Amino acid sequence: MDLQQSTYDESFERLWSRHGYLLHQFTRRAFQQTYSGSALGLAWAIVTPLLMMALYTFVFSVVFQNRYGVMPGETRLDYAFGVFLSITTFGVFSDTFGSAPTAIASQPNFVRKVVFPLAILPLAQVLASGIRYVLTLVLLLVAVAVSGRGLPATAAWAPLLMCAVLMMSAGLAWLFSAVGVYLRDISQMASTLSLALFWASAVFFSLERVPDGFRQVMSLNPILQAIELLRGAVLWGVSPGDRPGGLVVLAIGSLGLFFGGFWTFRRLRPAFADVV
Amino acid sequence: MNQIDQSNAEGVPAHAAPVAAGKQANVVTPPEPVVRVEALTKVFQIWKSPRGRLWNSLVRSAPRDPGFPADPGMDGERTVRRERHDDFFALRDVSFQMRRGEALGVIGRNGSGKSTLLQLLAGTLRPTSGTVRVRGRVAALLELGSGFNPEFTGRENVFLNAALYGLSHRETRARFESIAAFADIGDFIDQPVKTYSSGMALRLAFAVVAHVDADVLIVDEALAVGDVFFVQKCMRWLTAFRERGTLLFVTHQAADLSALCERAIWLLDGRIADIGEAKVVAQRYLAYFNQQSSGVAGAAHVSGAAARREADARSPTVDRRSLVLACERERTDFRLYEFDPEGEAYGTGLARIVGVRVLDRESRVRTTVDGGEDVCLTITAEALVDLDDIILGWVLKNRLGQYIFGDNTYLTTRGKPVKAPAGSQVEATFRFRMPLLPRGSYVIAPAVASGDLENHVQHHWIHEALLIESTHVYVHRGLVALPMDDIRIAVSPAQPVVSVGSTG
């Protein structure tokens, strides 16, 4: 046993191998925290999406009568499902923008007092909203399946696409949590950015409806591509394989954000204790 | 600065050392250091704006580089634009080593760099330059409930903290009962930590640290908030810990230093002002600050004392004035609490202590006592089997578990051993004048044993049987002050005599 430099070591390998337990605990905690103290408890994880789905269906099939216009014979219900899927997917990002900026800054004990694998904190929050995301999507798939039209075979792409969504969220969470240690303003910036991204992610309309010129720019947004590809695969039977451009943007975006976010986090990490 | 040193600093491979020592019997190879700190410097950059700090981390040199260049010239090219920050040297060029089983004290005033040093050792801060190398597992007790998440329950925090120290879930589960028993906070263990008092948080934090098999333990002034019983328990544990582990103890009280450590470091403005034997360092530390506060330079102080000794030797004092101890107010120096027979104890159990009381001269049980008053301490023990040469004794300990004074019946009964048949009660009475003790909590630890001073068996030793609170307001130097029968001060008129000291 040699003398070791005593300090933290935050590499990917250690995040999983050594700190798996901590990650699990914090994820569980972040997930439960949303529901703790309520009478229905964890049942809310099922009830909330069901209520939301009912609400969306009502609003977007009765009040607003709109269409994405991709699938032939698109019904009002199809549109409502599309909006629900899009908003749920975007919800993972808006959760991240909401919680990540303070994920580290609000835990000075873990920064200053113990040698703690801090990268776990933002990641656990992303995983917790990931659990909600998966639950909601399973419910949606069931609803689509029983709604009459049935699930298209392309829905098998869903896990991969959702994985890309979570990777992007994790990267953004690392980025924003690390920068949030230095700049408290990042919380305000993040909520504005979240709103801007919401409209830039084609939640209520299809990319195809966007006028030329704008469309090319917007299609470079990986979040938009994730939503677009998911809608196509889960609801309209459009295989992401037929949209290679979108798939490439999504792949580059998710890998780039994930590793870029982690790289930034590690780079900023050493000075956390000096700043917090 | 961050590479792991694979080789042994002494240049001798570790396994080869015993062989070398065997060949040259007169060369004693010292045990390898467990902690090695070399030229450690920590600079905090005080930035005009956090943006500058962020920019600096992101854009400038790689994060592993020191944030502050050891040689300003090295960084010349990159710092084209003047960086907008001031440098605060929290620690400058600190070097020391610690060996297994050693207890090193760190003393210094607030802001002297103690906490920074601890954080660097614990690994929560990165050095600006220099290295910290530690062998084995480091556990730190830095301030209250350091690594706790206030939203989590005590139980969850135990598992979390233990995981941070590298214990698996299974290992922690196996130790959980023992941890909970050590902390002794009852049902609070399942309450969120934010509902804890500072004392409870400390209890839990210490309990975890005591169970993680640390090789190096860092203890901050955290113990200050513990009650007397818990602090005593911690001190006993720390004493046992030192047989296998290495302890770094931080304090700003010189008395604590010499109680726990053999060696000490005195930090002054981030530099090592003195390093060496704890007692000596503590003395110099006290002397330094006493001089500072009284505004007397060291040399003058010494010559003043020398002059007084000279004067004493030369002439008898002329002008004598008696000073009477001021007694004008209602004085209550000690508050006594009731005997606690359930306190933690050890021993064979062949005899039990059933009573400890403090009586005054008229044999009345007292709840308060004045310093200087004659008191009787009685200890009653019950023999459960026939015991031949029974001894009753006690010791008064301070908050840190240091023995202040005590006595036993051995010398009194030597040659005529006291026999106690099964079922009988033995009572010992100690009459003495209560000294003055600095304000704080004290405990009396009574014991019943049989045998003689060299060779005896403890039947029942209660660590904390009787709590005594000293409310004495005079601050005395030292652990105990004797009531003075008479204090005089004299000034001899003539000659070159400079000053006359007085009793403190």
Side-chain angles (χ1 to χ4, degrees), chain B residues 32-49:
Chain B
E32 276 184 71
V34 177
V35 175
R36 187 158 67 226
V37 172
E38 274 160 17
L40 193 62
T41 298
K42 178 69 186 178
V43 180
F44 287 105
Q45 296 166 338
I46 316 290
W47 290 82
K48 301 279 188 300
S49 74

Side-chain angles (χ1 to χ4, degrees), chain B residues 273-493:
Chain B
D274 196 12
I275 180 167
E277 203 187 326
K279 224 178 345 182
V280 180
V281 172
Q283 281 163 5
R284 288 187 190 150
Y285 170 80
L286 278 182
Y288 179 84
F289 285 108
N290 283 344
Q291 281 162 29
Q292 277 213 328
S293 56
S294 56
V296 179
H301 206 70
V302 171
S303 67
R308 188 182 62 201
R309 272 198 304 277
E310 218 180 304
D312 279 351
R314 202 174 45 232
S315 61
T317 46
V318 183
D319 185 0
R320 290 181 177 229
R321 287 176 297 185
S322 294
L323 292 177
V324 182
L325 272 174
C327 246
E328 65 272 17
R329 71 204 145 80
E330 198 68 20
R331 274 179 38 174
T332 302
D333 291 343
F334 294 98
R335 180 164 293 118
L336 305 163
Y337 292 84
E338 266 184 44
F339 167 60
D340 173 18
E342 300 304 319
E344 260 187 73
Y346 74 91
T348 62
L350 299 180
R352 286 195 62 78
I353 291 169
V354 294
V356 179
R357 287 180 303 166
V358 176
L359 308 171
D360 64 11
R361 208 190 291 259
E362 282 82 41
S363 298
R364 289 177 303 207
V365 176
R366 294 290 292 259
T367 55
T368 60
V369 173
D370 293 343
E373 194 181 356
D374 279 328
V375 293
C376 280
L377 174 71
T378 66
I379 299 174
T380 316
E382 190 177 84
L384 303 179
V385 297
D386 291 343
L387 292 170
D388 279 347
D389 35 11
I390 198 161
I391 308 174
L392 289 170
W394 57 278
V395 63
L396 184 133
K397 301 187 287 181
N398 68 4
R399 200 176 63 84
L400 294 172
Q402 282 172 289
Y403 291 5
I404 308 296
F405 59 90
D407 214 328
N408 61 56
T409 58
Y410 172 68
L411 279 180
T412 318
T413 62
R414 192 169 55 169
K416 38 183 191 316
V418 177
K419 288 191 198 307
S424 66
Q425 285 210 340
V426 186
E427 186 175 270
T429 304
F430 302 84
R431 180 184 295 269
F432 57 95
R433 257 182 100 188
M434 197 68 185
L436 303 166
L437 295 171
R439 180 192 283 266
S441 301
Y442 297 82
V443 288
I444 284 179
V448 51
S450 55
D452 53 47
L453 277 195
E454 284 73 37
N455 187 11
H456 58 263
V457 186
Q458 293 289 357
H459 297 310
H460 195 203
W461 169 299
I462 307 181
H463 291 299
E464 297 100 24
L466 189 73
L467 174 64
I468 298 177
E469 206 76 57
S470 172
T471 58
H472 199 69
V473 285
Y474 289 135
V475 180
H476 294 277
R477 301 245 168 83
L479 297 174
V480 57
L482 298 178
M484 294 292 143
D485 290 333
D486 186 18
I487 297 181
R488 288 156 194 254
I489 181 168
V491 178
S492 45

Side-chain angles (χ1 to χ4, degrees), chain B residues 131-147:
Chain B
T131 53
V132 176
R133 292 203 174 82
V134 179
R135 183 195 313 269
R137 187 178 285 173
V138 185
L141 203 62
L142 308 176
E143 302 171 50
L144 287 178
S146 16

